[in-house]
Amino acid sequence: MEDNESVRATVSYELDFQAKVDSDRLGWILGKHRFAGLYEESQYTIEEAIGREQILIDGELPRPDLPNDDRNRLFRRHYVTDPGNPLDYINGELTAFPVPVERTLEDGSIMTSDWFTYQRRWDYTRDIESKMLAMQSFWLGGRLATTFGKRWDDLEFAFYDEMNDGAGGVVRDPDSLRITPYEGNTRLMGAVFHVTDAFSIFYNESDSIGVPELPIRYVPDGRFNDVTTGEGKDFGIKASLFDGSLHLLATRFEASQNNETEIGSVSNWVVARQDRIVNALLLDDFLTEAEAEANRVEGTGFTSDSATDGYEISLVGQLGRSWNIRLNYSWTDREVVNVAPRIQAWAADSARPFWNSFDRPNPNDPDGGSILDTVFTGGNSIRDEMENFEAELSQRVSESERVVGLRRHKASVFVSYTFKEGRLEGLHLGAGARYIGKPVVTQDLDGVDVYGEDNLSVDFLARYKMRIWDQRFTFQVNVRNAFRDHAEWSPINIIYDDNIESIVVFPPREVVFSIRMDF
């Protein structure tokens, strides 16, 4: 269930000094300004209750104390009785509950089934109060244009855990309410200066915050996730060439984002592992209950930071009376850093000193082996758990730092010619090429990028306009990937042991013929 309510109020005002002051010179300098303001309150609530069909024996669950236990779960199977008829297989209906089970067992017990909520993954309310002020100004008779914006956000998350309802399901735990407040101030400013009528320079800078959508919590204390923050800037030039026939745009851009959420199964490789270590030490009397509780952790996800930079050049316009051209080139680089900083800090400041404090002889071991080697969590010693944690952390960091799919180079060009007179008047022909560079698919053990395949595609266009029965018709043929006879592909993401996780497919030649009639 999702519910979103918002109330918004806006106001605007325009101030033109050119019309208000007596001095033309002063009015020209002070210019014209537009102001806008916004106030908004919104509340977003999400409750996701995941249900499944469970077994009842004489009206009771086999394990009512453990709603998630598989012994409560009913599995339904469907069989193919006619292999020659693929429609013979029946899948479960997704939009309706199946008919409940009702069977009498050999001992006289009655087995039935019913639906229970066994998990409430997302359960929170987000309140936001936002205030925004924006200003656009034109100075020096419009030669200088500036933009400024400021926004203030007050956020409050009310987050709930789930609890056993005592009847085989889970419900919201009212005592688990945790309220996490945030304050976010963001701004935007930019300027364009027209040096001449044909040449301009511009600069833009902004920062932002991203509201968390998922209730991720951080190790070690289970604190609700922070907002994502970002910064960006771009600057460049705009120019008109050959009396405005061609338009050139060159841009340099930089952007960064901090505190991006990654799920990462932290509950398994951090929280559950620490619980196993603590429980084993508690069971063998190396910890008291209070010491055990003090060393447990909570958390469901971790974060990372990223930075992107690059530049782009485009040229658009006419070459002569009949020729048109569009050309674009861009180069982009990206890196991911500061992966799992809270888990790394917990490991350095708390976990490793705590674990290493037990690297001493075990008085219960006749050979005097280390506690780390002689106390077990199931089939693993504590030292095994420590080494597994370090390996998992290293792998998580390595996986997150891989900027998979990044294509640093991209370029495209399209040239067209329109016949303006003669027998071919109305005919428009075009040809172009699109290039995308090799994607980064993984990094080797030394952190060096490994690349997939680049791709070059060639396209053609032919369009003819004519009148038939006093109606205007357009006949057009588009040929994409003209010289590719069959589909090609490249890996996008290669995980460990050279296993390809995802690919991109470049389709073969595609020819589309269309007719349009304008009434």
Side-chain angles (χ1 to χ4, degrees), residues 117-174:
T117 298
Y118 80 98
Q119 187 179 24
R120 300 173 65 89
R121 244 188 351 180
W122 302 338
D123 195 346
Y124 69 91
T125 298
R126 181 184 71 214
D127 289 291
I128 305 178
E129 181 185 54
S130 302
K131 299 176 283 290
M132 185 171 67
L133 176 66
M135 175 181 176
Q136 185 179 43
S137 302
F138 301 89
W139 315 80
L140 308 178
R143 186 169 293 277
L144 173 64
T146 60
T147 303
F148 175 80
K150 183 73 174 178
R151 177 169 177 149
W152 300 264
D153 290 286
D154 292 311
L155 296 82
E156 188 175 271
F157 278 84
F159 176 68
Y160 294 89
D161 289 327
E162 62 185 31
M163 63 179 290
N164 187 352
D165 65 359
V170 295
V171 294
R172 172 186 283 185
D173 180 3

Side-chain angles (χ1 to χ4, degrees), residues 224-345:
F224 197 87
N225 50 321
D226 295 331
V227 295
T228 300
T229 61
E231 295 181 358
K233 65 175 66 173
D234 64 86
F235 52 91
I237 62 170
K238 296 179 180 180
S240 295
L241 310 174
F242 305 110
D243 295 326
S245 297
L246 291 176
H247 301 279
L248 173 69
L249 173 65
T251 306
R252 179 76 168 89
F253 58 86
E254 300 175 5
S256 64
Q257 190 156 295
N258 300 324
N259 210 51
E260 297 178 87
T261 295
E262 299 194 38
I263 302 296
S265 300
V266 166
S267 299
N268 295 326
W269 66 276
V270 179
V271 178
R273 174 170 282 120
Q274 180 71 347
D275 279 341
R276 290 195 298 269
I277 294 174
V278 167
N279 290 338
L281 293 170
L282 179 63
L283 184 64
D284 283 16
D285 296 324
F286 290 108
L287 290 177
T288 66
E289 287 283 357
E291 290 171 332
E293 291 306 312
N295 283 282
R296 298 188 191 276
V297 295
E298 293 183 66
T300 58
F302 60 93
T303 64
S304 63
D305 302 337
S306 66
T308 303
D309 68 289
Y311 52 83
E312 183 173 7
I313 300 174
S314 66
L315 185 68
V316 179
Q318 289 184 305
L319 296 174
R321 180 167 174 257
S322 299
W323 288 96
N324 289 274
I325 184 171
R326 291 187 178 185
L327 186 149
N328 181 272
Y329 171 77
S330 66
W331 179 89
T332 306
D333 197 15
R334 183 174 182 265
E335 64 174 347
V336 177
V337 296
N338 197 29
V339 178
R342 298 166 187 85
I343 294 177
Q344 304 244 37

